[in-house]
Every structure is written in C-alpha cells, then in structure tokens.
Amino acid sequence: MQPISVITGRIVALPVQDIDTDQIIPARYLKVTDKSGLAEGLFYAWRFDAEGKPNPDFVLNRPEAQGATILVAGRNFGCGSSREHAPWALQGYGFKAVISPAFADIFRNNALKNGLLTVQVDEDTYQQLVSLFEEDPTTEVTIDLAAQTVTLPDGRQTHFPIDPFTRHCLLHGVDQLGFLLNEEAAIAAYEAAHPARVVTTARS
Amino acid sequence: MPRTLFDKIWDAHIVRPQTAETPAVLYIDLHLIHEVTSPQAFTELRQRGLKVRRPDRTLATMDHSTPTTPRGPDGIIPVVDAQAAAQLRQLEQNCAEFGIPLFALGSEYQGIVHVIGPEQGLTQPGMTIVCGDSHTSTHGAFGALAFGIGTSEVAHVLATQCLIQSRPKTMEVRVDGRLGPGVTAKDIILAIIARYGVGAGAGHVFEYTGEAIRALSMEERMTICNMSIEGGARAGMIAPDDTTFQYIAGRPFAPKGAAWDEAVAYWRTLPTDEGAVYDRTITLDASHLIPMITYGTNPGMGMPIDGRIPTPEELPDPAARQALDKALRYMDLRPGQSLLGHKIDVVFLGSCTNSRISDLRLAASILKGRKVADGVRMMVVPGSQQVKKQAESEGLDAIFRAAGAEWREAGCSACLGMNDDKVPPGKYAVSTSNRNFEGRQGPGARTFLASPLTAVASAIEGAVADPRRYVRD
Ligand code: SF4
C-alpha cells in the first residue's frame, strides 16, 4: 500500500445520518470477483433515477461537487453490512477520506485497511464543514495523518483519533497481512497448545 | 478478578497481547466463507503465493447470490444470472484449489452461512468465529465470540488464522420479565434497537442477560444475537447453559463420548462471573412488550404494532428529525400514522434472522387452514436445505403451499435482493429479515421488519396486522 501522510482536497457534504452500506453500494453490484467497476454503483439509488439518468439534485451530481476528494457525512456512517465493496466504491469514485461524527465499526476497519481515511470529528466541526460546503463548494480542507489534525480554510484545526497501529501502517505503507505473517512462530505455538475441537474437514 | 463471558473468550485466544503500539493478535477457531466477500481475498493469497493456513478450520457455503427458484426435473437449481454463476464457480474453484470444504448449491447441507454453522454443530461455546458478513453475530447465541469482517480480513484469516484486533468494550443488555403470547424474540431485539438506536453498540460487544433471555430456545437466541449489528455492536453473546448444550448434542460436528463431557465441563466455566463488570448496561422489560414493527428505513425506526409513527416535533434532535422526514418520504408514510391495516404487497419469511425450523413451525401454526390474501405474494425461504427437508417431513411446505405461499430453495433471497427475489419498486413488504434500508429488498422496495407471526398475520389480512388475535395461549 502507498504511504499516506497529508490529504488536501475539496469537500462534498452529504448531511445524512446512518448512511448504510446498501446505500453506498447496493447488493446487485456485489457479484464482481475483483474490485473494479464499483464506482458506477456508488450511492446508485441516490445518484440515478429509475431510468438510470443522473439525478440533478443529488449533491455528487452537482457541477461544483466534481473533483471533491473528501466526503463529509452524518453520524454512524457505513452501518449495516460488512461489504468491503463500500470503501472500494468510494475510492474508485475518487474519495480519499470520509469525515463524520461517528463511523460504524466494520466500515471504519475496512476503510482503513484500504487507505481510505475515516476522520472522526465532533458534532460542531461536522456542522461547520457542512455549512462551509453549502456556502462555498470549493472549500478545501487538509487532513494531516501524522499530526491527526483536520485544518479548515480559516486555519481552525481539530484533532481526530486513530489507533496508533493503523496510523503507523498508513504512514509507512505497512502491509497488515505481512505483519501477521511475521507472527508465524507465535501462531504455531498457540496452535500447539490449543488443539482444535472442531475440524471442518472431518464431518461425521 | 471476576471476568465476563467476553473477557474469558478473548483472553483464551490471544496469540500476541495488545500493547500501547499494537493491537492484539487474536486466534480464530472457525472461519466461514461465502461467494460474495471471499473472491478478492483468494486473489490476494494467489498474488502473494500463500496457502490457506487451516482449511480444516474453514468452511464455505453458497447463499447470497444463489437463486431460490424451485429445482428443475433433473434436481438442479438453475443459475440464470451469468455474473452470479461466475461468482459461484469462482468459490468452487477456490475451495478446490485450497482444500476448503464447501456446501455447494444443490448439496444437501447448503444454506445461509449463519444457519448452517449452528445446524451442523460447528458453532460451539467459547469459540472465536468470523465470516465476511456482519450477521456473524448470530453465532454468539452459543456463547461464542463471533463477528463480521471485511474481505481484507478474510485474507488475513485465510493466510494466518488470526486477526489484528483492538479489544472492544462490553455492554450488558439485560432483558427482564417474561414474554406474553404472540410476542417473540424478534420483538425483543426490535424493541431494544428502537429504544437505544442503531449506533448504541458502536465499539461494544453485547452480552444479553436476564430472565427473558434465559427462557428463550437456541433458535430464538440466534434471532436476538443476529441483530446485534443492527444495534451497532459487532458481536452479541449469550452465556451457554443446558439449553445450549442440548441443542448442540448429536449434531454432526459436535464432540462425542469423552470429548463431549470434557467440552461441556469447559463450557460451564464460560458464563460471566459474579461481580464481573461491564463497561455499560442497558435494560428492557419484556413483560410489557407487544409485537414490534418498523416504519422507517433503518431498524431503529420501530414501534409497537399498535403505535403511531412519531411526528417530527417529538424528536428533539434535528438530525433525527431530518432522518425521519427522509425515511417517511421514501416509505410514503405520514407522521402520526398507525400502520395497522396498511395494505401490503409482499411477505418475506426467511433470512438468517428468522428462517429456522422453529420460525417455519410458528408461521405454519397460524397459516394452517388459512389463505394468503389476494394480491399478496408470500415467499417462504428456508434457511438451509436441512431446514427445508425437516419442514417437508413435517408437512409445513404443504401448509404454506395450500395457503398460496411460495415454497422456495434455501438462501438469502429477498433479504438483500441479490437474486431475482425482490420487492417491486414502491411496494410494501412485511419481512422477517433484519434490514429495512432503502432499496435493500430491491430498488424502491419498502420494508416493514417484523416477527414471523406478524408477517403471517399480515399475509392473511393483506395488511399490517397484530398477530395476537391468531395466537391462543
Ligand atoms: S440472510 Fe440476509 S442478513 Fe443473513 S447473511 Fe443472508 S443477506 Fe445477510
């Protein structure tokens, strides 16, 4: 994975709470066996009408929202299914980070494993970002992963939490599977001490 | 120090303890996989030249994108969707290449991943169980730590049988009292989510305790744990007891002979110790509960079946008001409206929440001798081939068919609308599944979540109905 340190980009606000992964990417797009082509299904039911024509009222279709790389969304973003297709679709569309007052656990996990930053901010900052976007859709913010800060155009800064291990992996492009593979000795020792009670290959 | 059920299982699976810099490395006893969230993980293994570390702790089934159309005369279930067919073929190839046992479409053990684990006796107390599916929480009903993971993590577990995990917090969900007639486990969990919200459990593992929970059968406990994720928790658990052990005994993967006695002795050590502390406790009194139904577009937008949809003025939080407004526009419903008598078009009896044999028996008990109302399509989709076979041996299929309902093959079906089993745009469905998200059951579909009893009562009346009038007890 590419190391990530600072993301500067335009925001687009979708001020809806509890956006579930079925909205982010509907189930009928999950028949793929790779990660490509998912951007087309991103927020499909909101982006397109019943005939498949872009819905001009939906924020991502507005001309001024084109090129935004940071999504600002309401709390409990990514609730629902564990589909990693959700962060893949967001990234495929061009998003590099999502800012929200709260993320669903599995979504955050999946997003960070793919280098899509989940930036949790307090309600006030969230509201400010929504207003900033509404006043000026070209608003840019800067997310600094090393410093764990989001900087607004007027210089206001807010801190966001991220667990130290994930931050380290993202900053240095560390591959988490590689980290686990390095634990081989400890895993083997654990297995030797804990024989399996259930053996799936031995159905009686 | 006294420990909770969660603490005991967590501690017993630590390969490498959590430090200030790194999360724990947690060992996984059982890894269940299905066709939708695994292909990219196998691709990663291949790209890195890795093997599946423990195929003997891994099991695959086909459920999400499989058709549930009745078999042809040749006994084969036809897969007409080319993309779904390719995905199923891919799983078959991956399992063959990496030595993973597979319950393929058409086989006698195939079914929804969270139905077959318990059914086969694979799901046992004290285990860590994961699957690339959020409703893995279902298996927690046995006193296991079971949670959903993403595809990157599916690759981690395939390659190392381990996960990198930060320790979650614990939340006791205590349900006191006894359920009244016509009120079910589904109503308990819908009431908890309606009261505490869809984000309440974030960062926590639920442990359900209390008299009402102890009194439930294993299949009812699974219904509760299943929807832990709808309350925002990644996992839900219930302490194992004699109900648990009796359910497991004799199943294909259950321990036998001396191994059984040894296992039960261990399982009895798992329940939360007296004096152990949870990070938080929430409660619900089951004795005042009546059947529940959802009116909105997330499972937290639920109410007693005789209730009225909230009005925006009743909601103090502007974001919640906005969400209600958006949901009611999607559902074409009004604030203050009652749902009783609201016309419906589809009834879906199925999903990993409510497709087990006891769900089908309960539904059939009130459908027997009655008819599904004209103009209502009722789909009955058993959770597994074994459930289907059992139901057929009891004549339940005949009851459903005689009532005018469709008796289908096992799978996820209209729960997520990946195959042709969909609710048409703008139509209303009463569903026993777990998610009423916009478009979940098909583009434009409008879903009311409820118990199997409420679903059947509504099928009979062609409108949302209170099942208590059909239940003598
Ligand atoms: S039945 Fe529904 S919720 Fe359960 S695993 Fe299948 S799609 Fe997911």
Side-chain angles (χ1 to χ4, degrees):
Chain A
M1 203 184 335
Q2 290 298 317
I4 300 170
S5 56
V6 175
I7 296 171
T8 296
R10 293 216 324 265
I11 55 172
V12 57
L14 190 51
V16 176
Q17 65 177 33
D18 304 317
I19 295 178
D20 58 78
T21 53
D22 277 82
Q23 303 321 308
I24 300 172
I25 181 90
R28 59 186 182 284
Y29 287 94
L30 310 187
K31 291 176 199 162
V32 293
T33 49
D34 58 12
K35 303 179 186 178
S36 63
L38 292 165
E40 172 197 334
L42 182 74
F43 295 121
Y44 190 91
W46 295 348
R47 262 167 75 203
F48 299 98
D49 65 14
E51 277 88 56
K53 290 206 281 292
N55 166 11
D57 297 334
F58 184 61
V59 67
L60 290 190
N61 292 334
R62 301 217 308 250
E64 64 271 23
Q66 304 313 307
T69 53
I70 299 170
L71 179 67
V72 177
R75 66 170 180 252
N76 199 26
F77 184 82
C79 60
S81 129
S82 66
R83 58 189 73 162
E84 202 159 313
H85 309 71
W88 296 336
L90 285 160
Q91 284 181 311
Y93 189 84
F95 288 113
K96 295 189 162 68
V98 184
I99 302 179
S100 172
F103 290 93
D105 291 333
I106 306 181
F107 177 83
R108 178 178 34 230
N109 224 342
N110 286 342
L112 292 172
K113 290 249 180 340
N114 289 278
L116 176 70
L117 283 191
T118 51
V119 178
Q120 188 175 335
V121 296
D122 57 273
E123 278 286 342
D124 281 348
T125 306
Y126 162 70
Q127 292 297 349
Q128 279 170 15
L129 288 167
V130 173
S131 313
L132 279 171
F133 173 73
E134 269 149 25
E135 284 154 21
D136 176 7
T138 67
T139 298
E140 281 198 348
V141 304
T142 295
I143 301 166
D144 184 331
L145 177 61
Q148 295 179 235
T149 54
V150 184
T151 309
L152 275 47
D154 64 0
R156 269 176 298 173
Q157 229 174 37
T158 173
H159 190 263
F160 67 90
I162 186 165
D163 81 82
F165 177 72
T166 303
R167 178 168 157 271
H168 168 82
C169 292
L170 291 169
L171 283 171
H172 302 285
V174 174
D175 151 48
Q176 296 200 9
L177 177 49
F179 173 88
L180 275 174
L181 289 165
N182 281 334
E183 291 292 319
E184 170 57 33
I187 299 170
Y190 181 92
E191 285 177 330
H194 299 81
R197 223 188 279 283
V198 172
V199 179
T200 58
T201 42
R203 197 178 176 284
S204 64
Chain B
M1 205 172 99
R3 292 184 300 164
T4 63
L5 168 63
F6 165 80
D7 296 332
K8 293 180 194 185
I9 301 178
W10 178 269
D11 294 350
H13 289 85
I14 297 296
V15 171
R16 174 78 73 197
Q18 190 163 337
T19 67
E21 290 84 39
T22 51
V25 174
L26 192 74
Y27 197 79
I28 302 304
D29 291 322
L30 177 65
H31 185 196
L32 300 169
I33 60 176
H34 63 74
E35 74 276 21
V36 174
T37 55
S38 66
Q40 298 85 352
F42 283 106
T43 302
E44 181 157 3
L45 255 56
R46 266 190 213 101
Q47 281 168 352
R48 292 174 175 241
L50 295 168
K51 285 199 182 51
V52 172
R53 182 183 179 86
R54 299 298 299 264
D56 59 336
R57 287 176 176 271
T58 312
L59 186 109
T61 188
M62 297 174 169
D63 52 4
H64 280 68
S65 64
T66 56
T68 64
T69 31
R71 289 170 197 251
D74 49 3
I76 290 173
I77 303 170
V79 187
V80 290
D81 180 328
Q83 235 189 335
Q87 202 174 48
L88 297 172
R89 254 196 325 272
Q90 179 100 64
L91 181 64
E92 217 151 33
Q93 281 163 6
N94 288 336
C95 288
E97 180 180 336
F98 291 95
I100 295 169
L102 166 68
F103 295 162
L105 185 66
S107 86
E108 60 179 323
Y109 304 119
Q110 174 265 343
I112 305 174
V113 64
H114 311 308
V115 174
I116 61 161
E119 175 176 280
Q120 293 291 320
L122 288 160
T123 302
Q124 295 175 16
M127 292 173 81
T128 46
I129 303 176
V130 298
C131 173
D133 192 286
S134 59
H135 291 100
T136 308
S137 61
T138 312
H139 307 261
F142 290 78
L145 175 60
F147 53 91
I149 57 178
T151 298
S152 296
E153 290 178 317
V154 170
H156 293 184
V157 181
L158 287 174
T160 68
Q161 204 59 31
C162 287
L163 278 176
I164 302 167
Q165 287 287 300
S166 299
R167 190 188 186 102
K169 293 190 176 126
T170 55
M171 194 183 305
E172 180 186 24
V173 182
R174 200 178 69 233
V175 188
D176 299 313
R178 286 272 175 164
L179 287 177
V183 192
T184 67
K186 181 65 165 287
D187 302 305
I188 294 181
I189 190 64
L190 285 174
I192 291 168
I193 300 163
R195 160 102 60 100
Y196 294 99
V198 288
H204 291 75
V205 166
F206 285 157
E207 183 184 338
Y208 301 94
T209 65
E211 185 193 1
I213 301 296
R214 294 261 72 85
L216 297 175
S217 72
M218 276 323 293
E219 299 196 347
E220 292 171 315
R221 292 179 188 183
M222 284 187 246
T223 299
I224 302 243
C225 287
N226 175 273
M227 291 190 70
S228 302
I229 183 79
E230 271 62 56
R234 274 186 83 179
M237 332 173 70
I238 294 175
D241 59 11
D242 289 332
T243 305
T244 320
F245 309 149
Q246 275 160 26
Y247 189 90
I248 300 170
R251 290 182 185 268
F253 288 96
K256 310 268 156 37
W260 169 259
D261 297 334
E262 198 192 305
V264 173
Y266 170 58
W267 295 344
R268 287 198 194 281
T269 68
L270 291 169
T272 295
D273 299 327
E274 189 72 39
V277 190
Y278 300 93
D279 293 296
R280 204 183 146 197
T281 294
I282 59 177
T283 60
L284 185 85
D285 183 357
S287 44
H288 301 300
L289 211 59
I290 72 161
M292 295 286 296
I293 193 152
T294 64
Y295 52 82
T297 52
N298 74 47
M301 295 178 176
M303 63 181 185
I305 194 145
D306 63 0
R308 292 188 175 277
I309 296 172
T311 57
E313 303 77 65
E314 292 169 47
L315 303 178
D317 170 23
R321 270 204 298 274
Q322 220 177 39
L324 175 70
D325 183 62
K326 185 173 187 297
L328 295 187
R329 259 184 290 132
Y330 180 83
M331 296 293 291
D332 195 19
L333 297 170
R334 296 180 317 280
Q337 184 180 350
S338 159
L339 284 185
L340 279 176
H342 191 282
K343 212 182 120 356
I344 58 161
D345 309 283
V346 176
V347 169
F348 172 59
L349 177 58
S351 91
C352 57
T353 317
N354 284 122
S355 64
R356 297 179 184 81
I357 189 69
S358 57
D359 299 307
L360 302 187
R361 283 181 191 140
L362 197 62
S365 73
I366 62 172
L367 198 53
K368 190 171 186 171
R370 294 192 169 99
K371 289 265 182 230
V372 173
D374 282 347
V376 172
R377 176 185 185 196
M378 178 167 175
M379 287 182 261
V380 185
V381 185
S384 69
Q385 290 298 334
Q386 290 295 303
V387 169
K388 181 166 181 271
K389 192 167 128 191
Q390 177 65 27
E392 286 171 353
S393 77
E394 296 176 21
L396 304 184
D397 60 320
I399 296 176
F400 290 121
R401 283 207 186 90
E406 295 169 29
W407 179 246
R408 304 183 68 90
E409 292 292 331
C412 294
S413 179
C415 175
L416 91 165
M418 260 190 96
N419 63 11
D420 289 337
D421 309 351
K422 289 188 179 66
V423 176
K427 300 290 184 195
Y428 291 94
V430 177
S431 293
T432 65
S433 49
N434 44 45
R435 288 185 176 146
N436 51 352
F437 298 150
E438 287 183 27
R440 168 82 177 181
Q441 296 199 279
R446 294 167 172 156
T447 303
F448 301 130
L449 298 176
S451 74
L453 282 179
T454 304
V456 174
S458 305
I460 295 166
E461 299 192 14
V464 173
D466 187 335
R468 288 175 297 174
R469 46 180 296 225
Y470 294 91
V471 178
R472 288 171 307 267
D473 195 305

